[in-house]
Amino acid sequence: MTERLEAAPAGTARVHEGGCACGRLRFRSLAAPLDTGYCHCRLCQRTTGAPLLAYVSFPAGAFAYTAGTPAEYASSAVGRREFCGHCGTQIAFRRNSGAVTVDVNSGAMDEPDRYPPARHIWCTSRIAWVELGDALPRYPEGAGAGPSG
């Protein structure tokens, strides 16, 4: 079940907002990100159609949709993907039970430059021709808070 938030009052702390390509889905986090990174797992590759996924993780209790209701896809026994049922934009990954984070696709953020990746996870699934020249830590599987299923 997704939470709903009302519009933030003017003059409040900076919020983290984003949405889908067509604008029907909008979301917001009222808390700072807990983690950012690149995920190379096969599920992220398959559900995005991209060789890797940049993500930003927010506390689940601070994240909510402010417009629209996402469609959901059970991508594994561990979790589900939330996306716009109209334009298809994938918004987030959330664990099926006990979710403490919502892992949002960085590209769905209004200001993606605010969320630079801090690590690479699931590098055992990295596509061989993908080689980013950064000095970020690389983990064979998940590390810390981040997408893992």
Side-chain angles (χ1 to χ4, degrees):
M1 174 180 247
T2 56
E3 298 292 320
R4 286 223 170 269
L5 293 177
E6 298 302 318
T12 59
R14 191 164 184 191
V15 297
H16 308 273
E17 296 180 302
C20 67
C22 72
R24 292 182 185 191
L25 270 185
R26 295 290 302 161
F27 61 85
R28 172 184 299 141
S29 175
L30 299 176
L34 299 172
D35 188 30
T36 60
Y38 292 114
C39 183
H40 297 267
C41 81
R42 287 297 292 146
L43 285 170
C44 283
Q45 292 166 3
R46 289 179 184 268
T47 60
T48 64
L52 64 123
L53 168 72
Y55 68 89
V56 54
S57 298
F58 293 104
F63 179 90
Y65 287 92
T66 56
T69 301
E72 294 183 354
Y73 169 68
S75 59
S76 71
V78 173
R80 64 189 186 276
R81 310 290 166 150
E82 298 172 358
F83 62 97
C84 176
H86 181 74
C87 69
T89 301
Q90 184 178 298
I91 301 293
F93 168 83
R94 195 181 308 233
R95 290 190 175 278
N96 288 330
S97 62
V100 295
T101 62
V102 176
D103 304 318
V104 177
N105 295 13
S106 297
M109 300 301 300
D110 287 347
E111 300 175 79
D113 285 340
R114 289 177 61 195
Y115 313 97
R119 70 187 79 223
H120 291 263
I121 62 172
W122 294 100
C123 292
T124 55
S125 302
R126 180 182 64 82
I127 295 174
W129 50 260
V130 173
E131 187 59 49
L132 301 183
D134 59 54
L136 298 175
R138 285 160 167 73
Y139 299 92
E141 294 186 355
S148 60

